[in-house]
Amino acid sequence: MGEFLLVTIQVDMHDQLALRLQDDLSTAIQKNASKGVLVDISTLEMVDSFIGRMVSDISGISKILGADTVLVGMQPAVAITLVELGLSLPGVATALNVERGMALLRQKIDADGADVGH
Amino acid sequence: MSVTNGEAPLRSEHDIVLARQLVRKLTQELGFSLVDQTKMVTAASELARNALIYGRGGTMIWEKTADSERRGLKLLFADEGPGIPDLNLAMTDGWTSGHGLGMGLTGAKRLVNDFNIDTKVGGGTRVTIVRWK
């Protein structure tokens, strides 16, 4: 993965665990000087407002730490529910699967690099 | 015959996870589609968290229900917390008294077919939801 971090959420998380993930991930971004984070939620059967906020926050925090985040693998039933719940995850980049997420991250990082040059 | 009603405590964050898993199992037993299962589980998660955080803990009472033509799942979230002083405000999208997104009550309402809330300052809050198959 090199400059990217891959986070796979595989359990039905209680709230404190979600917050701890946020802390651990922020630390890992700094420690590894990561440029990108892929968060794979393909095994999550539900995203409620708490987990939605955690995902949003991870995206915001990593941005400040210099890393782009892409959320991948959301199940269709979860996406339908999330939108009806009222969460559209503004500012969170998403992709269908890990492969496309990686491609999107590379694009974003290349674009960021180009911006620095100006 | 399968059990048609019961209750589960909402005293810790782990109880919220258990409540979600229980609702998933019940909706599966009732033959809900995957989308409908997910909507009911998500609504339950929001209301269970409300009961824990704002209601200082409570109980989820569940019942498999039916009318003349359909079957459904009814859930009651009851707490003995401080109650909600301004229900209209609490039912506004984006409004929160805590640290959430303010989507708990209104979001849960959108995810189910029937939604009823009964709250009294100092007398706790009872939210009943039904989702039909």
Side-chain angles (χ1 to χ4, degrees):
Chain A
M1 291 292 286
E3 61 205 331
F4 296 160
L5 291 175
L6 173 62
V7 182
T8 307
I9 302 175
Q10 285 177 320
V11 291
D12 190 353
M13 292 185 293
H14 60 78
D15 296 356
Q16 284 307 314
L17 193 58
L19 291 175
R20 200 180 314 151
L21 172 67
Q22 197 171 295
D23 283 359
D24 290 351
L25 187 58
S26 315
T27 308
I29 291 170
Q30 192 197 31
K31 199 173 146 203
N32 299 295
S34 307
K35 290 280 175 55
V37 182
L38 272 183
V39 182
D40 180 4
I41 59 162
S42 55
T43 62
L44 275 196
E45 294 181 331
M46 184 226 57
V47 172
D48 64 7
S49 63
F50 192 90
I51 296 173
R53 190 177 75 144
M54 188 269 297
V55 166
S56 245
D57 286 354
I58 282 180
S59 178
I61 293 165
S62 25
K63 190 78 209 165
I64 293 169
L65 293 173
D68 286 304
T69 303
V70 176
L71 184 69
V72 300
M74 187 184 291
Q75 294 179 14
V78 173
I80 292 167
T81 303
L82 204 54
V83 170
E84 204 158 327
L85 183 64
L87 296 184
S88 49
L89 303 182
V92 179
T94 56
L96 205 56
N97 54 37
V98 172
E99 197 183 350
R100 290 194 188 184
M102 287 280 262
L104 183 58
L105 266 186
R106 292 219 175 280
Q107 270 178 26
K108 281 173 157 292
I109 289 162
D110 289 348
D112 289 350
D115 286 345
V116 173
H118 287 298
Chain B
M1 225 182 87
S2 68
V3 184
T4 56
N5 61 75
E7 60 178 80
L10 302 169
R11 299 277 163 209
S12 69
E13 286 190 356
H14 186 60
D15 285 344
I16 303 178
V17 175
L18 294 178
R20 289 202 289 254
Q21 290 168 354
L22 174 60
V23 173
R24 175 72 68 179
K25 181 172 107 32
L26 294 169
T27 52
Q28 282 171 345
E29 285 170 4
L30 285 162
F32 278 36
S33 72
L34 183 58
V35 171
D36 287 350
Q37 287 174 30
T38 306
K39 286 180 179 177
M40 194 58 165
V41 170
T42 307
S45 184
E46 299 293 344
L47 297 174
R49 184 180 293 104
N50 280 357
L52 180 67
I53 294 175
Y54 303 114
R56 303 174 197 148
T59 309
M60 178 179 84
I61 297 164
W62 59 269
E63 184 190 350
K64 289 180 185 170
T65 184
D67 63 12
S68 54
E69 50 210 49
R70 49 194 186 161
R71 296 200 300 164
L73 181 64
K74 183 180 190 177
L75 301 174
L76 164 64
F77 296 83
D79 67 60
E80 276 82 52
I84 303 169
D86 188 341
L87 193 55
N88 285 333
L89 188 58
M91 292 302 295
T92 308
D93 262 345
W95 186 85
T96 174
S97 66
H99 304 288
L101 285 165
M103 287 296 172
L105 276 181
T106 47
K109 187 180 180 183
R110 278 193 292 269
L111 293 174
V112 298
N113 300 118
D114 303 335
F115 180 96
N116 182 61
I117 183 164
D118 181 15
T119 184
K120 204 171 115 199
V121 173
T125 300
R126 294 165 69 86
V127 182
T128 309
I129 57 174
V130 183
R131 178 136 198 129
W132 301 101
K133 184 179 181 270

